[in-house]
Amino acid sequence: MDRTAANKLFMRVVETGSFSRAAADLHVTQPTATKTVAAPETKLGARPLNRNTRGVSPTEIGAVYYDKCKAIQTQIDEADNLPTLMRAQVAGRLRVSTSVAFGRSVLTPLLMRFMTEHPALDVDLIADDRYVDLIAQGIDVAIRMGRLADSTLGARYLGTNPRGDGGGTRIPGARRHAAQGGRSQAPPVRRLQQRAGR
């Protein structure tokens, strides 16, 4: 049994006050649990556990050893969950391209709210009505109204323009393949973000 598993077993014995319950919880035999938990006694040069008819309890040094093991296990669990934690945190820089009118009237307020909820995120809003090459200009996502001129571009329907006429205008959002717009004609949202409190 490796050191991490042995530490888990020791912690479980302290928490349950029983070798048999700890062994059952961690799916090992009781003799294995007894032998594994006895190992720290040799390393510490002191008895970490008291055993009596009422169960198992930590000695003074055993309680300190338990706290250290628990702190180490917490760090291991955090390291194992690091990919999930990183995916959960929205951070970095996002470059968004859209038309001038839609960016000014609809997208800017939405992005301001989004950045307030995710303060570690920087957003550049590039507002332009001309065609743009997403990859060449480093655009992460583009939002345009109407049909895409290039059917090979990856796109997703987002909704209708709330400020459009009649039945509204279709709004496709294209990721890393499509957009329209060249050099920015409107200030980047990052500047607006600084005025909002960053």
Side-chain angles (χ1 to χ4, degrees):
M1 184 178 292
D2 63 38
R3 186 68 177 272
T4 301
N7 286 347
K8 280 186 176 181
L9 186 54
F10 175 82
M11 290 165 52
R12 197 63 190 140
V13 169
V14 172
E15 291 163 357
T16 62
S18 167
F19 279 94
S20 59
R21 276 183 287 177
D25 288 348
L26 298 181
H27 308 291
V28 298
T29 64
Q30 185 169 340
T32 298
T34 303
K35 181 179 178 180
T36 301
V37 173
E41 187 169 332
T42 303
K43 294 175 182 177
L44 295 172
R47 189 174 59 188
L49 297 172
N50 286 319
R51 301 173 178 84
N52 54 47
T53 55
R54 291 177 296 177
V56 182
S57 60
T59 62
E60 182 178 358
I61 193 169
V64 174
Y65 186 72
Y66 169 84
D67 289 339
K68 297 292 185 183
C69 288
K70 190 168 185 178
I72 292 170
Q73 188 58 48
T74 297
Q75 291 182 340
I76 291 173
D77 291 342
E78 289 176 352
D80 289 342
N81 292 327
L82 189 59
T84 301
L85 293 174
M86 291 182 69
R87 285 193 296 270
Q89 181 183 19
V90 179
R93 175 170 293 180
L94 178 68
R95 288 174 58 81
V96 181
S97 173
T98 191
S99 63
V100 174
F102 186 79
R104 183 177 297 140
S105 62
V106 178
L107 198 55
T108 295
L110 294 176
L111 286 175
M112 292 297 292
R113 187 191 317 162
F114 186 72
M115 287 186 293
T116 300
E117 296 172 355
H118 303 282
L121 181 69
D122 252 353
V123 177
D124 286 332
L125 177 60
I126 301 171
D128 200 320
D129 294 324
R130 294 173 295 176
Y131 177 83
V132 67
D133 185 324
L134 265 182
I135 296 178
Q137 298 197 24
I139 305 298
D140 297 302
V141 61
I143 300 176
R144 283 293 184 269
M145 290 176 283
R147 294 184 178 276
L148 292 175
D150 187 344
S151 61
T152 65
L153 300 174
R156 176 179 295 179
Y157 171 72
L158 300 179
T160 56
N161 182 5
R163 299 178 185 272
D165 55 0
T169 308
R170 290 174 60 85
I171 305 173
R175 293 175 298 172
R176 210 27 135 174
H177 320 320
Q180 317 225 333
R183 299 179 60 83
S184 175
Q185 295 181 354
V189 172
R190 189 170 61 249
R191 297 178 190 168
L192 300 176
Q193 182 184 30
Q194 291 171 348
R195 290 207 297 267
R198 281 207 60 189

